[in-house]
Amino acid sequence: MAQLIPVEEFDLVIFGGTGDLSMRKLLPAMYHRDRAGQITAGSRIIATGRAQMSQEAYLQEVEAALRTNLDEGEFTDEQWQIFSPRIHYVQCDALAVDSWQDLKAVLQGFEQRIRVSYLATPPSLFGPIAAGLRHNELITPDSRIVLEKPVGRDFASAQDINTQVGECFPENQIYRIDHYLGKETVQNLLALRFANSMFEPMWRRSAIDHVQITVAEDLGVGGRIEFYDRIGAMRDMVQNHILQLVCLTAMEAPASLDHDAVRDEKIKVLRALRPIGGDFVRTNTVRGQYTDGAIKGQTVSGYMSELGEKQSSTETFVALKLEIDNWRWSNVPFYVRTGKRLKTKHSEIVVQFQDVPHSIFPEQKFNINPNRLSIRLQPDEGVKLSVMVKEPGPGGFDLRPVSLDLSFEETFGLRYPDAYERLLMEVLRGNPALFMRRDEVEAAWHWVDQVISGWEASNQKVENYVAGSWGPTAASLLLDRDGREWYADV
Ligand code: BG6
């Protein structure tokens, strides 16, 4: 069982403290860590927002959010009595020069402890908030700043933000979050690859046919539709989560778990991604948008109806065929897809090995499935290896695929901490390994930008898909053309 080490006393200042991310993820995550005994007495969570709100009113909102977002039985009055005194609401409009006084007053005298400023705000505020912290002399030697994704909306804006924040904080104090890096199974991918010797000789073009990455959601865009309509799935999911999964699957073994050693290997993958431009935009990419449909028996509206009367060509689904131009992965395509309002919530990395080179079972020639290693991220984290076996019986020689299935929950019988719990603790401990470095974020934008420019140049339209399906037909054709198909083990 992993050991729980309490973190040193800290002040966590959340900008955007009344927002959705704080209520749904950050405060529940801190509540869980407090409940687990990881938060030292005296540590404070200082939530800031533009709204004038009393401490009581804010605490009522937090309590309601915790009751909604925690699982049954996790909210208890006893724990709330311990957790709520840590929370302080302070009004602060980061863009108003004279609005920082209250925050300054609350932080004064606490310069010696760890101070984390978490920017759960739109990226356009990252630069101004960093500058405000500096101007108001709130950056202490042990300060860290956390930037929520997305950092910018393209390469140029990401560079601007990174430069602005970089003028106030050194790179080793900047933590750019991609919450997928805090997911247990994503970390298990490192364990699987680098704590087992059997995979490495096979983890390459000589043994692997292709890799598939699916991040499917059954939810729509909900209350974020205005924001989402300006960005779409490519910027929301591919630039960060999907490319990070590609990097962790494809990277070479780092020399150590040191944060720069891992990030140096990841960036090599980003730089080896073949640009998708010109005609390849049409052949290697699919954009989709959901229409009215049904999910798990419930009818759901299409994206356009959710948006009102407005017309929109924003994609809610993307499928791509990626090529990594290096020795290990030459000619091994990585097919990735992600979308909203798909059949079910299901995220998985599937590594498909090659066909047997010669079958000694003539009658079974076409029944031998290639081995597949599936690393499931959600909903039920685990690893599965499909192998061919002989069906039991006295006569004949019938082959069939079976799975060696490891469900982490069944094996360890533990509650899986949310990604934000781990990531917040890593920030407080000062360990940036699970966060993105400036060059990584910019390299990812650089690659994504040229796909988006290709879409714009060729006017590539969004293909409709019925909510509750697995996406547009064009996404199936993307693999069908290569004689392959998507797997979704649900
Ligand atoms: C966020 C995206 O980063 O990840 C959301 O902005 C998406 O649109 C979410 O729903 C998915 O996260 P998870 O952990 O539920 O897979």
Side-chain angles (χ1 to χ4, degrees):
M1 168 107 71
Q3 222 188 330
L4 282 181
I5 304 169
V7 287
E8 273 177 51
E9 215 167 47
F10 62 83
D11 279 344
L12 169 65
V13 184
I14 305 179
F15 290 85
T18 54
D20 181 64
L21 182 73
S22 300
M23 295 296 172
R24 259 186 336 106
K25 292 288 183 184
L26 304 182
L27 291 161
M30 293 306 284
Y31 175 94
H32 273 303
R33 290 301 88 210
D34 200 11
R35 194 164 172 238
Q38 234 172 340
I39 299 198
T40 321
S43 294
R44 301 184 301 171
I45 300 169
I46 300 161
T48 80
R50 279 182 306 175
Q52 279 290 359
M53 199 188 288
S54 68
Q55 169 77 358
E56 293 68 44
Y58 184 71
L59 285 181
Q60 272 173 17
E61 275 196 25
V62 177
E63 183 180 342
L66 291 176
R67 286 184 186 276
T68 311
N69 292 306
L70 297 176
D71 285 345
E72 217 185 310
E74 288 178 343
F75 184 92
T76 63
D77 289 335
E78 301 75 62
Q79 189 54 44
W80 178 240
Q81 295 311 320
I82 299 170
F83 186 61
S84 55
R86 303 193 191 286
I87 303 175
H88 305 263
Y89 181 74
V90 178
Q91 196 269 342
C92 174
D93 177 353
L95 294 179
V97 184
D98 52 2
S99 174
W100 288 73
Q101 295 314 320
D102 290 351
L103 183 58
K104 270 178 92 164
V106 171
L107 291 173
Q108 195 153 21
F110 292 89
E111 289 75 15
Q112 298 313 316
R113 57 168 61 175
I114 295 164
R115 182 176 293 173
V116 172
S117 298
Y118 196 119
L119 277 48
T121 66
S124 54
L125 291 179
F126 293 172
I129 294 176
L133 288 166
R134 184 177 60 171
H135 176 77
N136 289 287
E137 297 176 347
L138 295 177
I139 305 180
T140 54
D142 223 350
S143 272
R144 286 138 218 191
I145 188 165
V146 184
L147 310 181
E148 242 314 313
K149 71 156 261 284
V151 177
R153 54 169 285 112
D154 54 19
F155 176 65
S157 56
Q159 260 193 326
D160 282 350
I161 291 170
N162 283 331
T163 303
Q164 288 167 26
V165 176
E167 281 164 3
C168 307
F169 288 84
E171 179 64 25
N172 65 0
Q173 291 177 10
I174 304 174
Y175 290 68
R176 297 176 191 81
I177 282 217
D178 180 322
H179 77 275
Y180 268 53
L181 295 180
K183 288 186 187 276
E184 282 289 329
T185 324
V186 174
Q187 288 163 34
N188 246 313
L189 183 55
L190 291 181
L192 198 72
R193 288 196 59 197
F194 305 122
N196 295 287
S197 61
M198 62 185 271
F199 292 115
E200 172 52 20
M202 299 190 296
W203 210 260
R204 58 189 64 245
R205 65 191 302 270
S206 50
I208 292 178
D209 178 72
H210 74 278
V211 176
Q212 297 187 8
I213 299 179
T214 295
V215 177
E217 296 182 85
D218 52 0
L219 294 178
V221 283
R224 297 158 73 222
I225 198 154
E226 292 287 324
F227 166 76
Y228 189 90
D229 198 51
R230 291 195 298 273
I231 58 170
M234 188 71 169
R235 292 185 171 98
D236 186 42
M237 297 294 288
V238 178
Q239 188 271 342
N240 34 76
H241 307 325
I242 296 267
L243 288 186
Q244 285 295 321
L245 296 180
V246 170
C247 286
L248 292 172
T249 308
M251 73 182 189
E252 297 299 315
S256 71
L257 259 194
D258 172 74
H259 49 92
D260 275 333
V262 175
R263 298 190 293 186
D264 285 347
E265 294 307 332
K266 284 197 290 166
I267 197 164
K268 286 184 202 159
V269 176
L270 291 172
R271 291 187 177 140
L273 277 182
R274 186 180 303 167
I276 304 183
D279 288 347
F280 289 110
V281 173
R282 279 201 180 283
T283 53
N284 289 25
T285 75
V286 176
R287 309 175 66 221
Q289 191 184 77
Y290 59 87
T291 58
D292 298 349
I295 296 179
K296 295 176 190 146
Q298 300 275 328
T299 53
V300 293
S301 303
Y303 183 74
M304 291 285 212
S305 333
E306 287 180 333
L307 205 54
E309 289 316 300
K310 215 170 120 190
Q311 287 297 307
S312 169
S313 60
T314 299
E315 77 284 352
T316 58
F317 176 97
V318 179
L320 304 168
K321 176 180 174 182
L322 309 181
E323 304 271 358
I324 300 173
D325 286 330
N326 62 21
W327 274 46
R328 188 183 285 269
W329 297 113
S330 180
N331 287 324
V332 179
F334 279 56
Y335 300 98
V336 304
R337 63 177 168 168
T338 181
K340 302 248 179 231
R341 287 283 191 233
L342 295 179
K343 189 172 174 143
T344 186
K345 186 170 174 75
H346 179 82
S347 303
E348 178 171 53
I349 301 170
V350 178
V351 177
Q352 176 164 321
F353 293 92
Q354 291 180 357
D355 285 324
V356 292
H358 163 72
S359 173
I360 61 162
F361 308 100
E363 280 161 28
Q364 305 284 329
K365 202 150 85 191
F366 302 109
N367 288 337
I368 304 183
N369 295 354
N371 301 121
R372 278 201 301 272
L373 178 70
S374 310
I375 301 148
R376 292 190 307 273
L377 273 63
Q378 46 204 22
D380 53 335
E381 293 90 345
V383 176
K384 191 151 101 173
L385 180 65
S386 76
V387 293
M388 296 303 298
V389 296
K390 179 193 165 297
E391 213 169 295
F397 209 105
D398 287 336
L399 297 175
R400 82 180 161 95
V402 293
S403 292
L404 308 177
D405 198 349
L406 169 66
S407 154
F408 294 154
E409 199 174 353
E410 275 172 28
T411 307
F412 299 108
L414 286 178
R415 165 188 169 265
Y416 263 61
D418 186 75
Y420 279 95
E421 292 177 46
R422 168 174 273 262
L423 293 174
L424 280 162
M425 293 302 108
E426 296 290 300
V427 177
L428 291 168
R429 287 206 187 90
N431 178 11
L434 298 178
F435 298 82
M436 292 184 293
R437 212 167 51 190
R438 173 178 184 157
D439 51 358
E440 258 183 280
V441 172
E442 292 179 4
W445 274 123
H446 192 265
W447 188 85
V448 158
D449 272 5
Q450 42 84 35
V451 181
I452 295 176
S453 313
W455 285 346
E456 285 163 1
S458 62
N459 213 357
Q460 184 157 331
K461 64 177 180 53
V462 283
E463 317 265 346
N464 286 340
Y465 62 95
V466 178
S469 68
W470 279 112
T473 315
S476 306
L477 295 178
L478 181 73
L479 273 72
D480 192 56
R481 276 200 297 272
D482 294 346
R484 300 178 173 119
E485 60 183 347
W486 292 105
Y487 300 110
D489 191 9
V490 282

